[in-house]
Amino acid sequence: MTDDSSPRVRLRPEVAALTAYRQGGPAPADAYKLSSNENPFEPIAAIRDAIAASSINRYPDGAAVAVRERLAQRHGVTLGEVHVGAGSVAILQQIMLAVASAGDEVVFAWRSFEAYPGLVAVSGATAVRVPLTATAEHDLDAMAGAVTSATKIVIVCSPNNPTGTAVSAGAFTAFMQRVPAHVLVVLDEAYAEFVTDPAAVDGAAQLGRYPNLLVLRTFSKAYGLAGLRFGYVIGAEWILDALRAVAIPLSVIEPAQRAAIAALDNEAILLERVARLARLRDQVRLALLDRGWRVPEAQGNFLWLATGEHTAAVAEIFLAGGIVTRPLGQDGVRVSIGESQAVDKLLRAAEEVVRTLPTAVPRPGLD
């Protein structure tokens, strides 16, 4: 036992003030877990076989050459221009450690991915949060305007988690023209495969245009490998070399590498599943609009309900109706698109919110 009166280890104050990242809650019996943006489909046989073939008594290939070669070929870049990590969030942490430190600033939209503020704080830098527009989109003009001499990194999340809105290619080009060439821009595209809007920015099409751009993607969502943690980033080799220098060695395990290759080998099957989820996403959004909700046009595998100060109460109503959502502060509730069998419960719960807590419902045409 520790004597509470004894001197305590001194933590970094910015870390001591942090709240740990909170995973989406588990689902009780007879409820659907729509809180973590997971792919509801079980792994295909080829992926299961690839995992089973792993030699887990041996260390993985620390350079992940085989899967990086596949990704480099896919995107028309060199091997050195591809880096992999234990999920895209691990790569984000490497970016922060390699580029930002005390006295620096990192600019991102807010609300956006919940891990961004913590990653910035751990690096010692200062987070500069730029509010979303009234339509829950990135305000790229304001973000470019927030860049100062202290800015080291700007993060653009498209589709934005949790609001689902995508940045257009034209807006992104105009934004990049305003950002100084010495400032690193990270285009976080964790949900890129779910995008159906032809006007949305495609990071793959931006490769080679901007030396200060990194394009970040993951196999967790579209490819259903969330439990194996495999993400990758594409960009200038000298920048990625810095990420490799700060990465935890051997953190991308062999089962993840083998599964990623199997996913690429069977991509047509997996992307057909993605298309089904995107269609279901659009159907659920239209159904919510018909029930009086205002829901941003979604391009990920989730929907955003801006319920404000009523967020906790709304999440409880959904839970009582058999749907586990992701309440985010006093901003709103994110609902993943999961099993098609969950739709009826989701819509009934949404109707219950309208009936019992109408002031919590973001209505069309209202601020």
Side-chain angles (χ1 to χ4, degrees), residues 125-313:
T126 299
V128 178
R129 309 184 194 198
V130 178
L132 298 171
T133 68
T135 53
E137 299 173 281
H138 276 53
D139 189 339
L140 291 181
D141 285 339
M143 290 177 68
V147 173
T148 70
S149 60
T151 305
K152 288 295 187 70
I153 304 170
V154 181
I155 306 173
V156 177
C157 186
S158 181
N160 185 47
N161 176 14
T163 62
T165 53
V167 170
S168 73
F172 187 77
T173 297
F175 169 76
M176 290 299 295
Q177 291 171 349
R178 291 187 58 189
V179 175
H182 67 272
V183 174
L184 180 66
V185 176
V186 179
L187 179 57
D188 186 350
E189 292 190 306
Y191 302 92
E193 294 82 3
F194 295 94
V195 174
T196 55
D197 181 359
V201 66
D202 178 3
Q206 306 296 322
L207 295 173
R209 296 182 62 186
Y210 308 105
N212 60 326
L213 175 66
L214 296 183
V215 176
L216 186 63
R217 293 195 174 181
T218 182
F219 277 60
S220 293
K221 314 301 182 182
Y223 298 97
L225 302 185
L228 288 175
R229 316 303 300 129
F230 185 89
Y232 68 100
V233 61
I234 304 174
E237 182 172 0
W238 69 272
I239 300 176
L240 300 190
D241 282 343
L243 272 57
R244 288 184 268 266
V246 300
I248 296 174
L250 309 173
S251 59
V252 183
I253 61 175
E254 182 181 341
Q257 296 182 38
R258 286 179 174 270
I261 292 173
L264 292 172
D265 286 341
N266 295 273
E267 190 172 36
I269 298 171
L270 300 178
L271 291 185
E272 191 279 329
R273 292 175 165 188
V274 167
R276 287 163 61 184
L277 290 171
R279 288 192 295 270
L280 184 59
R281 170 200 70 200
D282 294 342
Q283 292 166 7
V284 173
R285 177 175 179 265
L286 288 175
L288 288 169
L289 293 175
D290 288 343
R291 285 159 174 78
W293 290 81
R294 180 179 62 186
V295 185
E297 184 174 348
Q299 292 295 314
N301 66 336
F302 51 89
L303 299 171
W304 176 245
L305 307 176
T307 49
E309 63 183 6
H310 303 285
T311 293

Side-chain angles (χ1 to χ4, degrees), residues 36-63:
S36 294
N37 291 347
E38 295 160 327
N39 191 316
F41 293 99
E42 291 293 323
I44 60 175
I47 289 178
R48 290 197 301 269
D49 292 344
I51 295 169
S54 300
S55 302
I56 60 174
N57 61 310
R58 304 289 186 183
Y59 285 118
D61 174 11

Side-chain angles (χ1 to χ4, degrees), residues 313-329:
V314 170
E316 286 298 323
I317 293 174
F318 273 100
L319 182 59
I323 297 295
V324 182
T325 62
R326 185 67 173 271
L328 294 168

Side-chain angles (χ1 to χ4, degrees), residues 106-119:
V106 178
V107 175
F108 53 86
W110 195 254
R111 181 175 280 271
S112 193
F113 181 34
E114 200 173 1
Y116 292 160
L119 294 173

